Amino acid sequence: MNKTLMASLLALALTGCASSQSDQPFSLTLAHINDTQSHFDASDVRLSFANKAVYTRAGGSARVFNYVNQLREQADINNQAFLFLHAGDAWQGSGYFTQHKGAMNADILSRMQLDAMTLGEREFALDNRHLAAFIEQVDFPVLAANIDARQDADLQAAKNLQPYVLYAFKGNKKKRVANVKDAGKSPVVAVLGLVRADMATAGKQVGQLSFDQEVSRAQSTVNALKEQGVSHIVALTHLGLERDNQLAQKVNGIDVIVGGHAQGLLGDFTALGGTKNEPYARRFTNPDGRGSTCVVQSGQFGQAMGKVTVTFTYDGRVSQCEGGNTLLVDQQFYSDVRRNDNQRVSEQQQESILAAIADADNIAVVAEDKSLQQYIAKEYQPALREAYGKVIGVVPQTLAHAQLPVTGKGSQVAPLVAASQLYWLNTQGVQSVTGRQADFSLVAASAINQRIEIGAIKAGQISMELLPGNNPISLVSLTGHQVAGLLLEAINGAIAPNADGGSFPYVAGLRYQFNETSRGRGYLSRIEYARNGQWARIEPNTQYQVALTGFHALANGGGQTLFDAQQVLTDRLDLAYVNGNLAAFPVARLSKSAQGAIEVHYINQPLNCQQAQVSCNTSAYAFTDYVRDNRPALTALAEPGISLNRL
């Protein structure tokens, strides 16, 4: 634990129970967002009113800021204690992050006047030097009680990284205090942060940080706070709803868990054309059987805001926990996702929509805060618009991305990426460079950074957001037996206990069925490829031209099979652009370093993706060409080619 964290916990022990908190009933309102993922601009959304689909814009920092200011004003009028919290994953997700590496996040989030934030896995997307800069630049505390930063050169001195923060309230007026004694008779609210304990094994750039187990660290921190005399405790977490619910049932003394890592918007949004998820503000009984914990969470991209009001009994227990998520939308609606002026709904339909919104408790028409919107438009939007470039297509409905295709919900994006690579490799221009025709394509789930949102899609969004890596498309000869081995190792690795599913192979021009026989293991009952418009069985000894992402080509996703296939001699070609011209880089073989890292040995000039004149992200080029040439109205493929039968 870093020096600041240790000092804070020591202060708890020293102050003890000397101070006396007021025994009057207390009520606290929490406004919260999570998983905003650098979506500073509003997002396109599809809604339904009177069984008719309409399109508008939702969220964005300026709209969120206006709405939270309205809530602040209402709390001021009611003399109500109020906090505004962010439950992590503010980073990544848009070209803004690609361009500014967290600096814009620090700027805009500080302007939105947050009271605290915790860290999600996306905050570890770069390195701890960038994270430390972000933590020190924001003007609100960043909370993580279960991070030990003593060995990390970048974060060990980050004074703004705290295990918790204390706020003392006199009605609506709040003051940050070092301990309960400084608060006098004023009620004190502690907000403690918790991050995923498995962050270091989830492929994140965590440096020399170590992570304590969530439940044990939460309980020890709560115990220390209670010993000081803190009566009201909020846990600000980025664990996911299931783990938040478990935390509520395993830890005594947490009053409210404000969570992140959203998989959906809590509440019933079916009347708006959305889904019905778990209820907002569920209460769970603590292990002692006396206390209870209220669990809340908002959605993604700042499209909605959660608001919960918690009322406490005289002895500090939760007596009421009520609230909900509110979708924050623009006032103008359209009949088409492209939102052209001639596609605005009729005046009559507009009035009907606004009347329906006025009667609903989970959606609100909210204008953007002019000052913040103008600031973003002046300081940040021009460079992003230039980088995004022209519109190449439109997405009528959001295309989901999940690592594993279970319970009927897989990635709709990954099969499209695989299809784009197969299409691109077999275009005349690319074949003139490779001299080959690809038979099928495999794409690791981890190669896709996120889902594709509804609305217009631009070339820069693909290279900066969807496929931001710098790995070239590879074309390699593999036997049917090797293809089967690759699939088995990648699938078994993806479904193994505690695996994140990143190696799972999505396909194009190929289809397979996998049946799990024991936890994390199984067999392939069918592998077929498309030959002359017909499905044909993969033959074990026949050679096939297989397109792979860099992840699989390096044998990271396919394990030993792919490494063995390329260890002695391979005909693999890595494709990249050099000075704007496509070039093939023949690979001789792979080897492993003493530390086990895969090393690529090229026949002639090695491929160096770090050179300024070299662009290796051929996956993004392929997807751009595929959308522009073949699928300007981008929808999910009817046949993803995968059957995954799990136990």
Side-chain angles (χ1 to χ4, degrees), residues 238-257:
H238 195 88
L239 310 177
L241 186 61
E242 182 178 351
R243 286 160 82 166
D244 280 341
N245 293 345
Q246 293 173 0
L247 188 72
Q249 298 171 78
K250 292 180 178 179
V251 176
N252 293 312
I254 297 175
D255 299 307
V256 189
I257 295 174

Side-chain angles (χ1 to χ4, degrees), residues 50-69:
N51 295 320
K52 290 185 178 180
V54 296
Y55 301 86
T56 188
R57 302 275 278 169
S61 298
R63 185 169 282 110
V64 167
F65 187 44
N66 187 8
Y67 190 66
V68 77
N69 282 339

Side-chain angles (χ1 to χ4, degrees), residues 254 279 288 360 462 632:
I254 297 175
D288 61 12
I462 295 168

Side-chain angles (χ1 to χ4, degrees), residues 341-363:
D341 286 343
N342 61 356
Q343 294 165 335
R344 291 190 177 190
V345 300
S346 67
E347 290 186 13
Q348 181 179 2
Q349 189 178 4
Q350 175 82 4
E351 292 176 2
S352 176
I353 291 170
L354 294 177
I357 290 175
D359 290 338
D361 60 2
N362 59 356
I363 185 172

Side-chain angles (χ1 to χ4, degrees), residues 163-174:
Y164 61 86
V165 63
L166 302 179
Y167 284 106
F169 286 92
K170 288 185 178 180
N172 179 249
K173 306 301 181 184
K174 68 175 181 289

